[in-house]
Each structure stands twice: as C-alpha cells, then as structure tokens.
C-alpha cells in the first residue's frame, strides 16, 4: 500500500490498484498470464516480477501504465528498490538497474 492505494498482484498475472478507503478499483495492469510473485512500490513506480517469464516490469503507480520492462535472462529470486536503484537478485547474479 502507498498513497491511499492498495496494490494486489496474483496468479492471474494481473496487478490491481484499489482505493484503500473504499476498496473501489482504480486501475488494472496485465501483460502476461504469469502469476505476479512480488511487487515493490517506490518513487511513484511499481516494480514487479512474474513467476517464470524472466521479465522485470516498471509500472506507473498513478495510472497503471507500463513504463519499461527488462528481460533478466534468469529466474528472478528477489527484487529490492533502494537509493534510486532496482536490484535484481537471481540464482547466479545480482543486477542493478536505475529506477
């Protein structure tokens, strides 16, 4: 949750933004039919990873629009955002991308 919005990702591959006070939908993002395993909200963006498609997504938190996506090339294990950087920890490497 951030800024009065709850962000829910699930097995449908959809990321939904709901008004925290009313529960009403604000927007929905869907790119692939892969379960969303992790999402991190930082700096007006939502960074998310899916189950097995090897992509990292950056979605605008205000409107749910895809800003960019990056193919990681390996299974993404952990996603951390800190100091203007997105850190991707995979089974065999750590990659840093400017947020």
């Amino acid at each position: 949750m951030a800024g009065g919005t709850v962000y829910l990702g699930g097995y449908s591959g959809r990321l939904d933004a709901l008004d925290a006070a009313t529960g009403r939908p604000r927007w929905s993002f869907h790119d692939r039919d892969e379960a969303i395993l992790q999402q991190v909200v930082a700096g007006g963006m939502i960074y998310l990873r899916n189950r097995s498609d090897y992509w990292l997504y950056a979605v605008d938190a205000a409107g749910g629009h895809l800003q960019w996506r990056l193919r990681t090339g390996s299974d993404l294990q952990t996603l951390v955002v800190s100091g203007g950087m997105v850190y991707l920890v995979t089974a065999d490497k750590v990659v840093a991308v400017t947020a």
Side-chain angles (χ1 to χ4, degrees):
M1 184 171 107
T5 303
V6 175
Y7 301 99
L8 302 171
Y11 284 101
S12 67
R14 211 173 74 204
L15 178 68
D16 293 308
L18 307 174
D19 183 286
T22 66
R24 291 191 180 121
R26 290 192 172 172
W27 53 258
S28 182
F29 169 79
H30 184 263
D31 187 56
R32 299 187 192 289
D33 291 326
E34 290 286 337
I36 295 174
L37 296 181
Q38 183 180 13
Q39 67 259 355
V40 176
V41 181
M45 299 290 284
I46 304 165
Y47 302 95
L48 61 97
R49 68 180 186 96
N50 287 358
R51 180 177 57 197
S52 62
D53 68 357
Y54 306 135
W55 288 90
L56 168 70
Y57 296 87
V59 176
D60 171 39
H65 304 289
L66 179 66
Q67 299 301 302
W68 54 263
R69 68 180 179 178
L70 173 70
R71 181 142 172 90
T72 65
S74 60
D75 190 18
L76 194 58
Q77 301 296 319
T78 303
L79 171 61
V80 176
V81 180
S82 178
M85 300 294 290
V86 179
Y87 297 93
L88 316 167
V89 180
T90 70
D92 59 350
K93 63 186 170 188
V94 175
V95 177
V97 179
T98 302

